[in-house]
Amino acid sequence: MKLTVFGATGGIGKEIVRQALTAGHEVTAVVRDPARLEVTGERLEVFRADVRDPEALRPAVAGRDAVLSGLGPRKRADAGITTELTRSVLRAMDAEGVRRLLVVSAGPVGPEPADSPLVDRAVLAVINRVLKDVYVDLTAMEAELAASATDWTSVRPPRLLDKPLTGTYRTVVGGFPRAGRTIARADVAHAMLAMADDRASVKQGVGVAY
């Protein structure tokens, strides 16, 4: 497949690039600073652009089979940036007629499992208060997806870990795995690549966790 990856220098983005290249895909990595991209490969194109400019992004998405986004706030003060940047990606894709888009969101944005353990509910309530602005941003981003013409998928992980790829995790389309508390960034990337040509996940939020 021909893939474009946004947020390619972030924790999940770089894993998407690395794993996609290993799987034999052609990858265009959109970055602001190419020096920060640690991944290399013969099928890798590094595209330098300001993600806030939809016109500048059009060549990066033109003719691609799918676009994968690891865009998101690096700190709480960045809340709001995910919606802004994703809106630019959507406009560029619409202009080029590219439809498949997968993005990273967060578990608390989606529905909580009805049988979620009481301790998980308590922890989630605290997290929601602490990271309220971030989740408001991600909720707004998902609203932009829902209003778009793209075949989108919002991947919703819980707390992210910097651990090696396992390839073993649970996914729930339209929900979230019961008692799912953590997942490695590498496994989130793996899940996104696996869903790139999965029609069952189109226009759905998908919870992913160990």
Side-chain angles (χ1 to χ4, degrees), residues 78-152:
D78 292 336
I81 196 171
T82 314
T83 302
E84 178 186 358
L85 299 184
T86 303
R87 188 180 295 125
S88 291
V89 173
L90 287 168
R91 289 175 179 171
M93 291 178 64
D94 183 60
E96 294 296 333
V98 178
R99 294 188 60 85
R100 189 67 175 119
L101 173 65
L102 300 99
V103 305
V104 177
S105 183
V109 175
E112 182 181 350
D115 58 350
S116 180
L118 184 59
V119 65
D120 286 357
R121 297 186 185 186
V123 170
L124 183 60
V126 173
I127 292 173
N128 282 338
R129 286 197 299 270
V130 173
L131 297 178
K132 178 182 177 181
D133 292 343
V134 171
Y135 296 143
V136 167
D137 179 20
L138 294 176
T139 300
M141 176 197 68
E142 293 206 11
E144 293 279 346
L145 297 178
S148 76
T150 59
D151 292 334
W152 57 271

Side-chain angles (χ1 to χ4, degrees), residues 29 58 183:
R58 289 181 61 175
I183 190 170

Side-chain angles (χ1 to χ4, degrees), residues 7-80:
T9 59
I12 293 174
K14 68 182 178 183
E15 284 293 337
I16 295 173
V17 173
R18 181 180 292 116
Q19 293 178 37
L21 291 172
T22 299
H25 300 300
E26 296 180 26
V27 180
T28 298
V30 182
V31 299
R32 285 187 298 176
D33 181 6
R36 293 185 57 211
L37 185 61
E38 304 169 355
V39 186
T40 60
E42 293 182 0
R43 291 178 298 276
L44 174 63
E45 175 192 4
V46 180
F47 189 95
R48 185 173 185 174
D50 180 357
V51 183
R52 290 179 172 85
D53 182 358
E55 284 299 312
L57 301 181
R58 289 181 61 175
V61 302
R64 301 316 194 268
D65 297 306
V67 174
L68 298 94
S69 173
L71 295 170
R74 296 181 182 275
K75 53 185 182 298
R76 287 172 58 191
D78 292 336

